[in-house]
Amino acid sequence: MTGMAMAAAPMATTGPSSQPDRPVVDAAARTLSIPATAAKQNVYDQLKGAIEYVLVNPGGKEYETLFFTTVDAQAIFDALESLKLRRGKPAGEEAGQAVPPRGDRVTIQVKWTGPDGKPRIDPVESFVLDMKDGGGGGGVMKPTEWVYTSSRRVKDPGSGKEVLDAVMLKNLISLHTIEPGVLIQNAARNASESGRYKTKLDALPKVGTPVTLILTPVEARRIHLRLSGDVQGVGFREFVQRTALGLNVRGWVRNLPSGHVEIVAEGSPEPLASFEAKARKGPRGSRVENVVEVKPVSAEPLGEFEVRPTPG
């Protein structure tokens, strides 16, 4: 866990000899496949079963992850870039406020052979218990999208060269949103809470089982709108935010000094279309007179839908 010093975990750190050491990109299907191995669980009693990662390299935090892989972070980064995913930003703090991770999204599935010898493909969330879900009852993690935050670049003290932080730390995909150096972060709200996630032990493949993580970019469309009329002082921004959160649309809304409201939003085509229709209509008590589609559309990385302050 973050802030807790641990000795090297007493476990195997290499997968089967047949495991390739490179990711596989299917450009036509737009998928990235990463060979991995199921990690040993409950290595340290003091962690009480808590985990913080989905995937690490050997030498990373293998004692609190679902899987580890011999594919290095740079190779995975290059593969994600080849799928034309835009680099995002890790969760952090801006102007004293916590902000969620921002960036393009992927889904993660796990391909493996079950105990019955039959091939399976399961969402990675099915192997995780969310201790916040159901008032701490430990329900299975709800399906979510994972954010390609990209890894910041740091100086390797050995070579003096700039490298990805994930190459140094060897942690790749995180359930929590505390470590900014990973490649991919969990998009769930309040994912930084310590001890929130645990392994669903009766679902995870037994230790040493070879698996393949399949990452698939989420199809998304983006809009950038400027609305005029009676759109300020009528709860317009709050209405837009509630609508977006209910439809899993990310982005932001803000008032402009000119009296307009500006919206940047992104999501899957159908939910985004529903969001746009409602935004163009507005809440009761408002009156939208004109909507301008701003071009070019803002390309900034987007996170959970937020109300931003009016620019000065």
Side-chain angles (χ1 to χ4, degrees):
M1 300 287 289
T2 301
M4 181 180 295
M6 292 290 179
M11 64 181 75
T13 56
T14 57
S17 59
S18 61
Q19 184 191 81
D21 59 358
R22 61 183 178 84
V24 177
V25 174
D26 185 330
R30 291 203 78 217
T31 60
L32 166 61
S33 296
I34 305 171
T37 303
K40 185 176 181 180
Q41 303 300 305
N42 295 321
V43 175
Y44 295 106
D45 291 340
Q46 59 266 48
L47 292 179
K48 299 179 180 179
I51 56 171
E52 292 189 345
Y53 298 88
V54 168
L55 185 67
V56 304
N57 283 142
K61 292 190 175 181
E62 295 175 68
Y63 52 83
E64 51 182 343
T65 188
L66 295 175
F67 307 103
F68 66 88
T69 181
T70 57
V71 180
D72 67 56
Q74 184 65 54
I76 295 173
F77 171 85
D78 292 341
L80 290 166
E81 293 283 297
S82 76
L83 290 173
K84 308 300 182 185
L85 287 170
R86 292 170 295 192
R87 301 175 193 176
K89 295 181 179 179
E93 188 174 286
E94 294 179 5
Q97 299 292 322
V99 294
R102 301 170 180 171
D104 283 356
R105 309 296 181 93
V106 299
T107 59
I108 304 177
Q109 295 177 298
V110 180
K111 182 179 180 181
W112 61 294
T113 301
D116 57 2
K118 296 181 180 179
R120 301 182 54 145
I121 298 181
D122 296 307
V124 73
E125 297 87 358
S126 67
F127 303 119
V128 180
L129 296 175
D130 185 348
M131 305 312 291
K132 183 179 178 181
D133 184 62
V140 177
M141 183 179 179
K142 294 177 181 177
T144 189
E145 295 173 354
W146 300 78
V147 186
Y148 174 49
T149 55
S150 181
S151 180
R152 63 187 181 182
R153 302 194 74 83
V154 297
K155 183 173 287 188
D156 181 346
S159 67
K161 296 180 180 179
E162 280 200 348
V163 298
L164 295 173
D165 201 7
V167 170
M168 299 290 292
L169 297 173
K170 303 186 184 304
N171 301 320
L172 307 173
I173 302 176
S174 65
L175 280 157
H176 72 77
T177 52
I178 298 171
E179 184 181 317
V182 296
L183 294 170
I184 293 174
Q185 288 187 336
N186 178 8
R189 301 186 72 182
N190 302 318
S192 62
E193 294 181 5
S194 179
R196 174 170 176 175
Y197 298 108
K198 295 186 177 183
T199 304
K200 193 173 189 304
L201 294 171
D202 60 351
L204 189 72
K206 68 179 183 179
V207 59
T209 300
V211 304
T212 301
L213 271 62
I214 303 172
L215 280 57
T216 306
V218 175
E219 181 185 6
R221 188 172 70 86
R222 183 176 291 208
I223 57 174
H224 189 166
L225 307 175
R226 187 175 293 118
L227 303 89
S228 61
D230 294 330
V231 292
Q232 292 193 13
V234 291
F236 199 96
R237 292 171 300 168
E238 292 74 17
F239 166 80
V240 168
Q241 184 186 42
R242 287 195 304 271
T243 302
L245 293 175
L247 292 168
N248 196 29
V249 168
R250 51 197 173 272
W252 51 264
V253 60
R254 67 181 179 182
N255 285 341
L256 297 176
S258 61
H260 295 72
V261 166
E262 184 178 21
I263 298 172
V264 175
E266 181 178 81
S268 299
E270 193 171 319
L272 185 66
S274 178
F275 166 82
E276 182 176 359
K278 292 179 180 180
R280 285 175 176 267
K281 184 177 180 180
R284 183 179 301 177
S286 70
R287 180 170 55 89
V288 179
E289 294 179 348
N290 189 41
V291 179
V292 175
E293 297 184 10
V294 179
K295 301 293 182 181
V297 177
S298 168
E300 68 175 291
L302 300 175
E304 184 177 278
F305 204 94
E306 60 183 327
V307 175
R308 290 189 175 178
T310 303

